[in-house]
Amino acid sequence: MEKLRNSFFRARRSAASEPVRLRKRKSTLYAAECSNSEQGRGLFGPNTYLIIFSVALRSVNCLLVQTSFVPDEYWQTLEVAHNMVFKYGYLTWEWKEKLRGYTYPLIFASFYKLLQIFKKDTVQLLIWVPRLAQSFLAALADVTLYCVVKKQANEEVAKWVYFSQLCSWFTWYCSTRTITNSMEAVLTSFIFYYYPLQGTKTGSSSKYLALTAFAFVVRPTAVILWLPLLFSHFWQEAKKLDLLLYKCLPAGCLSLGFSLIVDRIFYVGCRSVEFPQVQCNSELGIILWLSFLALVLHSRISCHHGNTSAILHSWMSFGAQEEQNFINCSSLDNYCI
């Protein structure tokens, strides 16, 4: 009897030590939720067909837009990238005075280098490959904008925002052009996806800070948009010191370090182009802003109050005189527009 009791308790202990296996639910709703959660991982997880449609549409967009918008889409990107790879091509005064960075043209120079290696560097490919690459980035930005609104609001609102983005004539006209403004718009969409917006769960400090630093390297005036948002994030962050030491500092050092290395290679010397460019743009912008504001106020207010015309005339003259002095005294070798 004692042996039987011992064997019975021993069997119970061995059964208890085995892991309990739960029965898998076969509900259709449960299976759909599991598949959706698995597909929703990452930025572009459940949006495969939307990405394909966006890429196809922006490719058509790229092929249809065959006009010129601003000189910078050639002289600040493609011509510079051609010079980086093929060692000839005209460089404007900003590059001679080391006021521009080579980080953004390096993207297109990489494609030119591949075409050179495979001996496919024909004129048509040199023209269209950078444009198609930019259109691909613009398509990803469209889908990212859809994802941002979907996380912040709901899917119905996101669809209308995506539809409005595709119907925007100015976006259609500019998004596929090889200018830093288009690249900044692409980076802005990605940054907003990872930015810790209230009510979303997609915030990632490391990713959005790295993209913000890269946006500053590509276009230093991006600091105007992101500086207030950075301060807002810093103000709401509980662990401010950790944010500065382990998030902001590494992201900024990596991006600026990469920019310094690239500019050192192509400028043949250690040179930081971001801060001189911000300085020269701000100096020119302040004076033109004063003149513009004086002229606008003068024309608007004097229509209703004739007595203010004489008072504002001195301010308008001061703004116009400062602008003229700036243009006369400064040379293109020291300031950029």
Side-chain angles (χ1 to χ4, degrees), residues 103 217 253-267 269-275:
T103 303
V217 168
C253 290
L254 285 175
S255 297
L256 292 178
F258 177 77
S259 175
L260 286 173
I261 293 173
V262 172
D263 293 334
R264 181 181 178 84
I265 293 173
F266 291 100
Y267 277 132
C270 187
R271 176 75 176 179
S272 175
V273 301
E274 286 78 20
F275 299 104

Side-chain angles (χ1 to χ4, degrees), residues 19-264:
V20 179
R21 297 181 180 180
L22 299 178
R23 182 175 61 88
K24 187 176 181 181
R25 296 175 61 181
K26 298 181 180 180
S27 172
T28 306
L29 179 62
Y30 177 77
E33 291 178 355
C34 291
S35 61
N36 290 335
S37 62
E38 290 176 358
Q39 291 178 358
R41 296 175 182 175
L43 175 56
F44 302 119
N47 302 312
T48 304
Y49 294 107
L50 192 64
I51 293 174
I52 296 174
F53 173 76
S54 299
V55 171
L57 183 66
R58 289 303 177 193
S59 299
V60 174
N61 180 183
C62 173
L63 297 175
L64 291 179
V65 176
Q66 300 184 18
T67 57
S68 175
F69 178 41
V70 290
D72 283 359
E73 60 184 304
Y74 307 108
W75 300 112
Q76 305 300 344
T77 51
L78 300 184
E79 191 73 16
V80 179
H82 190 277
N83 185 279
M84 294 166 67
V85 176
F86 300 101
K87 306 304 178 183
Y88 70 94
Y90 183 76
L91 296 179
T92 57
W93 63 270
E94 299 100 324
W95 300 95
K96 296 176 182 178
E97 295 299 325
K98 302 181 180 180
L99 288 175
R100 296 282 184 176
Y102 279 95
T103 303
Y104 182 53
L106 181 64
I107 300 174
F108 304 116
S110 302
F111 291 105
Y112 284 171
K113 191 64 179 179
L114 290 175
L115 292 175
Q116 184 188 44
I117 292 174
F118 293 103
K119 298 181 180 180
K120 299 294 182 180
D121 49 340
T122 61
V123 174
Q124 293 300 320
L125 288 179
L126 292 178
I127 293 174
W128 288 108
V129 167
R131 290 282 307 274
L132 290 173
Q134 186 64 48
S135 66
F136 177 76
L137 294 175
L140 295 184
D142 295 337
V143 179
T144 306
L145 179 63
Y146 168 83
C147 295
V148 171
V149 180
K150 183 179 178 181
K151 292 290 185 180
Q152 184 68 13
N154 54 62
E155 187 174 1
E156 188 67 22
V157 176
K159 290 179 180 178
W160 283 108
V161 171
Y162 177 75
F163 177 76
S164 301
Q165 173 75 358
L166 297 185
C167 293
S168 172
W169 183 250
F170 189 76
T171 304
W172 179 274
Y173 187 68
C174 295
S175 62
T176 61
R177 297 186 183 275
T178 54
I179 50 179
T180 55
N181 306 68
S182 299
M183 189 62 186
E184 183 185 2
V186 171
L187 292 174
T188 300
S189 299
F190 281 100
I191 295 170
F192 269 121
Y193 181 83
Y194 293 111
Y195 184 82
L197 294 169
Q198 295 181 357
T200 65
K201 298 181 180 179
T202 57
S204 176
S205 298
S206 300
K207 293 180 181 179
Y208 107 82
L209 287 171
L211 289 170
T212 303
F214 184 69
F216 174 74
V217 168
V218 171
R219 186 173 170 81
T221 51
V223 70
I224 300 173
L225 170 64
W226 289 109
L227 193 60
L229 294 174
L230 290 172
F231 276 120
S232 175
H233 180 206
F234 180 77
W235 182 262
Q236 297 175 6
E237 181 65 34
K239 299 180 179 179
K240 293 181 173 55
L241 186 60
D242 291 343
L243 177 65
L244 287 175
L245 295 179
Y246 302 113
K247 304 292 183 178
C248 296
L249 193 61
C253 290
L254 285 175
S255 297
L256 292 178
F258 177 77
S259 175
L260 286 173
I261 293 173
V262 172
D263 293 334
R264 181 181 178 84

Side-chain angles (χ1 to χ4, degrees), residues 262-305:
V262 172
D263 293 334
R264 181 181 178 84
I265 293 173
F266 291 100
Y267 277 132
V268 193
C270 187
R271 176 75 176 179
S272 175
V273 301
E274 286 78 20
F275 299 104
Q277 189 177 137
V278 171
Q279 180 183 4
C280 68
N281 277 282
S282 62
E283 290 176 357
L284 178 61
I286 290 173
I287 295 176
L288 295 180
W289 176 79
L290 287 174
S291 178
F292 175 78
L293 184 59
L295 291 172
V296 170
L297 285 180
H298 178 268
S299 61
R300 295 298 181 184
I301 299 178
S302 61
C303 293
H304 302 282
H305 304 282

